[in-house]
């Protein structure tokens, strides 16, 4: 009985001692598999990086900083003047130069759109190049030292 | 002699070309005021704009110079009340509030209760007075709302008071009522709805 088992063991040893053909590139493949990131890592890291960047931007909030200080606002100035041949918008925002902001008309309604940074501006309408008019839809400038009417507009920088 | 010529040359070179619209004498006086303001750390642009306004409106030179000088003094008063860190728009709005009747102390109090920018709060104060609200009532109202109200809330408050006045309410009473209701209104009003930015009216 023991002889039979010894024979089996001997054959197993012989089988294990038999040389096995090994792919010469096996070592290289094993090393590559060890050093290369796993597929799951390749998918996760870009998302983690993007999330971190988004978080940083949310904390920094560059848009809110810009809006607080100098983000311009778009304003439309309108004057109803059916008899006018020309109307110019002049004010602190265009060096009071009538040539800089000529207004366009449609059926006697004159309009101009300008972008203004936050601040308080004095302005007026110059009708036909000679007649000064304040904006009837805006607060009047109280400190008019030149004898003609002006209006004021305030462009806010926070939540306006 | 040479030094004088050099000084004049430097001064001419430093002149803002936009002031060429003024006659030479007025231009020289305005430039002197602007230079003094710069030396005092005050902004030059509001002074130049005031001179250009006078020129475009055809005002006499002495009146332009007087207006620019007065504005320079008021800018200094506004800066003293609002602090050295005040921006140019804040200083200009501060001048408007001072000329509306607010005291420098009101400006200083506003500076202490509201974080910058103060431009809109100061402007609303000035605009309320322009609508007929007594200066002290306007100051009390703006100071009461200033700590929590957004700029848009202050503008809406001003418009509400103006509407009430147009409907016949006494200005001081209209202001007082709107201030008393202001806290609830401000708390109830949410942020403006999102949407494309459209041109708005002044």
């Amino acid at each position: 009985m023991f002889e039979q088992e010894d024979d089996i063991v001997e054959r197993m040893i012989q089988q294990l001692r038999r040389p096995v053909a090994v792919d010469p590139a096996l070592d290289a493949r094993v090393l590559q598999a060890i050093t290369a990131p796993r597929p799951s890592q390749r998918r996760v890291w870009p998302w983690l990086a993007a999330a971190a960047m988004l978080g940083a931007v949310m904390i920094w909030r560059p848009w809110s900083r810009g809006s607080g200080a100098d983000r311009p606002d778009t304003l439309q100035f309108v004057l109803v003047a059916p008899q006018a041949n020309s109307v110019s918008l002049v004010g602190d925002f265009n060096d009071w130069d009538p040539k800089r902001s000529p207004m366009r008309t449609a059926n006697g309604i004159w309009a101009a759109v300008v972008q203004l940074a936050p601040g308080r501006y004095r302005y007026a309408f110059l009708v036909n190049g000679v007649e000064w008019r304040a904006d009837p839809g805006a607060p009047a400038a109280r400190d008019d030292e030149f004898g003609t009417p002006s209006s004021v507009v305030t462009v806010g920088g926070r939540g306006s | 002699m040479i030094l004088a010529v050099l000084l004049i040359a430097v001064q001419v070179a430093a002149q803002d070309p936009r002031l060429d619209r003024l006659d030479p004498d007025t231009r020289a006086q305005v430039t002197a005021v602007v230079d003094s303001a710069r030396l005092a750390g005050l902004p030059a642009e509001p002074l130049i704009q005031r001179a250009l306004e006078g020129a475009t409106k055809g005002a006499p030179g002495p009146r332009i110079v007087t207006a620019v000088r007065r504005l320079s003094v008021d800018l200094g008063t506004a800066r003293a009340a609002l602090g050295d860190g005040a921006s140019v728009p804040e200083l200009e709005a501060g001048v408007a509030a001072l000329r509306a009747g607010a005291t420098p102390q009101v400006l200083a109090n506003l500076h202490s209760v509201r974080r910058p920018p103060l431009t809109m709060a100061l402007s609303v104060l000035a605009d309320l007075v322009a609508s007929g609200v007594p200066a002290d009532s306007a100051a009390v109202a703006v100071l009461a709302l200033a700590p929590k109200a957004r700029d848009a809330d202050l503008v809406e408050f001003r418009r509400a008071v103006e509407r009430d006045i147009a409907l016949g309410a006494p200005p001081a009473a209209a202001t007082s009522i709107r201030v008393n209701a202001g806290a609830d209104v401000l708390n109830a009003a949410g942020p403006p709805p999102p949407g494309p930015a459209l041109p708005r009216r002044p």
Side-chain angles (χ1 to χ4, degrees):
Chain A
M1 182 173 175
F2 288 114
E3 288 179 0
Q4 193 175 5
E5 288 175 353
D6 287 345
D7 186 46
I8 293 170
V9 170
E10 185 63 28
R11 274 187 290 162
M12 287 175 64
I13 291 171
Q14 291 297 328
Q15 286 291 329
L16 289 171
R17 284 178 175 170
R18 184 177 298 169
V20 178
V22 178
D23 185 355
L26 181 61
D27 286 350
R29 291 210 306 273
V30 169
L31 280 174
Q32 187 182 10
I34 292 171
T35 55
R38 286 175 293 177
S40 58
Q41 288 176 313
R42 276 201 296 264
R43 290 194 196 100
V44 167
W45 280 109
W47 287 106
L48 284 176
M53 288 180 63
L54 183 63
V57 169
M58 291 292 287
I59 292 169
W60 183 41
R61 298 202 304 171
W63 58 87
S64 67
R65 294 179 183 211
S67 66
D70 53 5
R71 191 181 66 180
D73 197 358
T74 304
L75 282 90
Q76 183 178 42
F77 294 85
V78 176
L79 180 70
V80 179
Q83 308 299 324
N85 293 319
S86 70
V87 180
S88 293
L89 172 67
V90 287
D92 290 338
F93 42 80
N94 63 9
D95 291 340
W96 291 87
D97 185 350
K99 296 172 187 167
R100 296 254 302 262
S101 302
M103 301 179 76
R104 301 181 186 282
T105 183
N107 300 321
I109 300 173
W110 298 79
V113 175
V114 297
Q115 286 209 322
L116 298 178
R120 182 178 171 89
Y121 301 90
R122 297 161 59 91
Y123 69 97
F125 300 115
L126 183 57
V127 179
N128 295 332
V130 292
E131 180 188 351
W132 290 97
R133 285 197 205 173
D135 188 342
R142 281 172 56 88
D143 51 344
D144 201 335
E145 296 158 305
F146 303 122
T148 59
S150 293
S151 302
V152 291
V153 58
T154 304
V155 180
R158 180 177 52 178
S160 60
Chain B
M1 178 68 179
I2 295 173
L3 184 62
V5 170
L6 279 174
L7 282 174
I8 291 172
V10 168
Q11 190 175 16
V12 168
Q15 280 182 357
D16 193 304
R18 294 174 293 176
L19 295 178
D20 289 347
R21 278 193 254 162
L22 304 170
D23 67 75
D25 186 41
T26 304
R27 185 169 65 237
Q29 293 186 66
V30 167
T31 300
V33 176
V34 170
D35 288 345
S36 297
R38 279 200 183 104
L39 284 174
L42 295 171
E45 187 62 22
L47 304 173
I48 292 170
Q49 290 300 330
R50 191 57 53 92
L52 294 176
E53 177 184 355
T56 301
K57 289 183 172 180
R63 187 180 287 188
I64 294 174
V65 173
T66 300
V68 172
R69 276 200 186 116
R70 182 170 168 240
L71 179 57
S72 179
V73 171
D74 289 349
L75 283 169
T77 306
R79 190 185 58 178
L82 295 173
D84 289 340
S87 66
V88 176
E90 286 177 314
L91 291 179
E92 289 187 280
V95 169
L98 288 171
R99 292 186 176 184
T103 63
Q105 188 59 50
V106 168
L107 270 62
N109 290 345
L110 192 58
H111 175 60
S112 65
V113 300
R114 184 176 175 83
R115 67 182 176 88
L118 303 177
T119 309
M120 187 59 79
L122 291 163
S123 289
V124 165
L125 197 165
D127 295 342
L128 284 173
V129 176
S131 301
V133 177
D136 53 349
S137 298
V140 168
V142 171
L143 282 171
L145 296 173
K148 290 185 178 177
R150 301 170 304 166
D151 281 357
D153 299 326
L154 292 172
V155 172
E156 184 51 43
F157 166 74
R158 188 207 80 201
R159 287 180 178 152
V161 172
E162 288 174 349
R163 277 196 300 270
D164 293 347
I165 293 172
L167 291 171
T175 305
S176 176
I177 290 170
R178 288 290 178 179
V179 166
N180 291 335
D184 294 337
V185 173
L186 293 178
N187 290 334
L198 297 174
R200 67 176 176 85
R201 294 293 311 281

